[in-house]
Amino acid sequence: MPFENIKDIYKRMAHAAMRSGREPQDVKLIAVTKEVGSELIHQAVHIGLREFGESRIQAAREKIPEVRSLDPRARIVWHLIGHLQTNKAKAAVKLFDIIHSVDSLELARSLNRHAGEVGKRQRILLQVKLSDEESKYGILKNKIRSVLAEVFGMQNLRVEGLMTIPPFFEDPEKARPYFRELREVRDEAVSAGHDMKELSMGMSNDFTVAIEEGATMVRIGTAIFGERRK
Ligand SMILES: *Cc1c(COP(=O)(O)O)cnc(C)c1O
């Protein structure tokens, strides 16, 4: 049966939020739909999910309009969570409400320009790279200050927070230092006067640890939709 895990996921999210001194509604569930077809996403909308994450422009170009036509009245929010090439920035602005994977100044400048052209204020997160072994993409920690200073000056972007993808560990406790570090980077940025609060961190295997460390958005695929058939 699809979605048999969803109640359990919400419960684990809520408990982790409370362990971090927050309320369950302070943490948003983003259902990651890569390799998931429009029909199953439609069913997910039916059980109340509204925030979806896609990792590739190519797939999103098809799925987003399909899901919209299946559920024209649902207020669905689409998150881009995968690496974005600068030459696809225009399409990303058109398709996505919020882009988590802004990993270079060049990309931010391009998004700012395309958002300006269509009169949109594009919501973004900056992807931060906290170790050598983790995902290839992301802004290095020692560059964050200068990047933030510049992106906060871009008129057509709204910088809402930070995102990271730690290396994969069987034991989610091993990811905890990365989550904590991202929170510290955000807190330092806030102290420096940059108004942003979101921390996009935590996936199927480690979302409770991420929430304990302050995640405001968790990106969960497998635990909701099952193993991806690739
Ligand atoms: C695939 C993916 C997820 C979801 O991973 P699961 O382990 O299936 O929950 C989260 N974030 C990013 C960036 C992804 O690419």
Side-chain angles (χ1 to χ4, degrees):
M1 206 189 86
F3 310 125
E4 58 189 5
N5 294 333
I6 197 80
K7 276 201 180 129
D8 182 58
I9 292 170
Y10 279 131
K11 201 189 287 173
R12 291 168 63 202
M13 286 176 64
H15 288 155
M18 290 188 288
R19 286 196 296 277
S20 73
R22 294 178 297 157
E23 300 293 328
Q25 64 266 23
D26 294 336
V27 185
K28 200 173 270 177
L29 171 61
I30 297 164
V32 174
T33 52
K34 60 187 188 213
E35 310 300 324
V36 175
S38 303
E39 183 52 40
L40 192 54
I41 301 173
H42 173 56
Q43 291 177 36
V45 173
H46 186 72
I47 64 154
L49 294 176
R50 289 295 181 273
E51 311 263 344
F52 295 103
E54 272 293 328
S55 58
R56 300 182 60 181
I57 293 291
Q58 205 46 46
R61 271 193 226 271
E62 292 182 17
K63 274 193 240 178
I64 291 178
E66 272 172 21
V67 172
R68 203 158 271 147
S69 70
L70 289 167
D71 289 291
R73 302 165 70 121
R75 284 211 206 142
I76 296 172
V77 177
W78 287 99
H79 301 249
L80 178 61
I81 62 170
H83 175 64
L84 175 61
Q85 291 168 271
T86 301
N87 62 7
K88 293 188 179 148
K90 184 177 180 178
V93 165
K94 186 163 167 238
L95 290 163
F96 288 94
D97 299 289
I98 171 161
I99 299 171
H100 293 222
S101 45
V102 179
D103 56 9
S104 72
L105 265 178
E106 184 199 8
L107 177 59
R109 288 187 192 113
S110 181
L111 290 168
N112 185 50
R113 184 160 48 81
H114 290 296
E117 279 166 13
V118 296
K120 180 182 187 185
R121 185 113 190 258
Q122 178 67 53
R123 301 165 63 196
I124 66 158
L125 307 179
L126 296 179
Q127 182 171 350
V128 183
K129 182 173 154 79
L130 297 171
S131 84
D132 303 335
E133 31 179 339
E134 67 174 321
S135 97
K136 317 181 258 203
Y137 300 111
I139 298 158
L140 294 172
K141 214 177 122 180
N142 61 7
K143 296 269 162 58
I144 279 289
R145 255 167 185 270
S146 63
V147 171
L148 280 170
E150 188 162 341
V151 289
F152 267 92
M154 296 182 187
Q155 289 201 347
N156 309 308
L157 299 183
R158 195 166 92 198
V159 189
E160 299 193 343
L162 305 174
M163 179 269 227
T164 201
I165 308 173
F168 178 82
F169 300 103
E170 284 296 336
D171 175 7
E173 279 301 325
K174 296 214 168 86
R176 187 182 295 276
Y178 296 93
F179 298 141
R180 184 169 298 169
E181 195 172 359
L182 193 71
R183 172 173 33 107
E184 288 166 359
V185 173
R186 183 209 49 195
D187 291 347
E188 279 164 30
V190 170
S191 300
H194 297 308
D195 178 24
M196 60 179 189
K197 75 171 214 303
E198 307 294 351
L199 290 175
S200 167
M201 56 190 196
M203 317 193 341
S204 291
N205 186 50
D206 54 17
F207 68 90
T208 56
V209 174
I211 293 169
E212 286 169 3
E213 294 300 331
T216 63
M217 299 174 169
V218 289
R219 310 176 307 264
I220 301 183
T222 317
I224 299 175
F225 296 105
E227 289 292 335
R228 285 180 284 277
R229 294 163 296 262
K230 272 217 105 173

